[in-house]
Amino acid sequence: GAPRNLGLALSGFTVVDTASVSEDVKCEVVQFISHDGLGVPVYRLRPHGIRQDSTLPAVLLFSGHGSAAQAAYDSSSYQRGAGADLARAGFVVFVMENRGMGRLEHLGDHQRIDAVARLTGGCWYGEIVTDALYLLANVLEEPYVDGRRIGAAGVSTGGALSMFVAAFDNRIAATYVQGFLGSFKTTFGKAGRHCLCGHIPGILRVGDMADIASLIAPRPVCFVNGSEDTFLSADARAAFVTIDAAYMVRGAGGEAELLTPEGVGHELSVELAVPWLSKQLQ
């Protein structure tokens, strides 16, 4: 049967708002209650006209820096509004707001949230990864979601969340990670190619990005680092050697792939993500 939650105290989703996207996509803003009592907003997108008793595959589309609305439906943003495209392709899509951004910007800047979390040994990434695991557990309780066909996707921090959640929870069946593969030291170190939020306390005592990504094996995963991305394609290729070896050990050669499209910067490539997720989950 469909997988169940891992013992988290689940609130379910409550509708708090609606958003206008297009005639063929229905978008509601719902929220769930996370570990500390915070109501976390989520854009839930579904294709119009689906039957009430339909069971659909789902995608957790995690947002990068900026509002979740960018990932949900703003095609002019670097996140390309991929949620609407995925809904049109037949998915139920859940786009979680990250703490300190969009509808949660009243909590303060994400780096201030990170600094406060470090007082007790945590960090901003720890907070939002925990939120993401609560999101997944709540999604699995929805009767219209096929719990065997759930994907995770995103760019930048959204790619990081996709990678972490899939590594931690094998109920993610397919994972698309763009603009987040390389090494923590290179990306968040003296090269200064990304913001300080990626300084996760003690992470390298556990492993680098490639080691975490390898935990996704043997499930399908696609990494995309464009030639113009701030996450360098050369770093991604080096990391992918470790990931590919892990997949070979698990007897899943070919289930992990790395794409480095020319001329693509730090953005979500809808034209790559939607067909890949459709192939894996439809």
Side-chain angles (χ1 to χ4, degrees):
R4 295 174 295 176
N5 75 71
L6 295 177
L8 302 178
L10 304 182
S11 63
F13 294 110
T14 303
V15 178
V16 296
D17 201 358
T18 58
S20 178
V21 177
S22 63
E23 291 184 357
D24 56 346
V25 173
K26 179 180 181 180
C27 182
E28 302 167 304
V29 182
V30 299
Q31 73 171 17
F32 66 91
I33 306 302
S34 195
H35 68 101
D36 56 355
L38 178 69
V40 178
V42 177
Y43 290 83
R44 181 173 64 190
L45 301 99
R46 291 179 278 186
H48 265 305
I50 61 172
R51 289 170 38 186
Q52 290 294 106
D53 59 349
S54 296
T55 303
L56 299 177
V59 173
L60 310 186
L61 178 62
F62 292 109
S63 177
H65 282 58
S67 72
Q70 292 179 342
Y73 55 79
D74 183 3
S75 60
S76 66
S77 73
Y78 81 103
Q79 303 192 70
R80 297 291 186 259
D85 292 285
L86 286 164
R88 293 186 186 101
F91 293 99
V92 183
V93 186
F94 298 84
V95 190
M96 184 185 81
E97 197 79 83
N98 295 329
R99 296 182 183 226
M101 300 178 184
R103 290 172 177 258
L104 291 178
E105 65 181 3
H106 63 276
L107 298 176
D109 179 81
H110 71 287
Q111 292 193 0
R112 184 172 295 276
I113 295 171
D114 183 78
V116 172
R118 286 169 186 263
L119 295 175
T120 53
C123 64
W124 178 66
Y125 262 108
E127 293 291 308
I128 61 175
V129 169
T130 302
D131 290 341
L133 292 170
Y134 268 76
L135 170 64
L136 172 59
N138 278 289
V139 166
L140 283 162
E141 297 296 310
E142 294 298 292
Y144 52 84
V145 169
D146 184 343
R148 296 161 297 184
R149 295 189 292 162
I150 296 182
V155 63
S156 192
T157 289
L161 285 169
S162 300
M163 186 177 78
F164 278 114
V165 171
F168 294 160
D169 197 317
N170 63 14
R171 297 175 295 181
I172 296 294
T175 310
Y176 179 93
V177 178
Q178 185 154 7
F180 196 88
L181 182 62
S183 70
F184 286 108
K185 278 190 174 180
T186 300
T187 303
F188 302 108
K190 65 180 181 180
R193 299 190 65 85
H194 215 68
C195 77
L196 297 177
C197 64
H199 292 177
I200 301 170
I203 188 65
L204 291 179
R205 295 177 183 173
V206 178
D208 212 333
M209 294 182 193
D211 302 301
I212 296 164
S214 295
L215 296 175
I216 301 172
R219 290 161 289 147
V221 63
C222 180
F223 298 94
V224 181
N225 277 44
S227 65
E228 305 300 319
D229 202 329
T230 51
F231 279 75
L232 298 174
S233 54
D235 290 340
R237 284 191 289 269
F240 189 72
V241 172
T242 298
I243 297 166
D244 192 45
Y247 269 76
M248 294 296 290
V249 168
R250 295 292 302 274
E255 291 297 330
E257 57 185 305
L258 171 65
L259 306 177
T260 56
E262 285 296 320
V264 174
H266 199 59
E267 60 193 82
L268 199 146
S269 299
V270 174
E271 66 277 8
L272 296 176
V274 175
W276 187 86
L277 288 162
S278 295
K279 177 183 176 182
Q280 303 299 331
L281 299 171
Q282 292 283 22

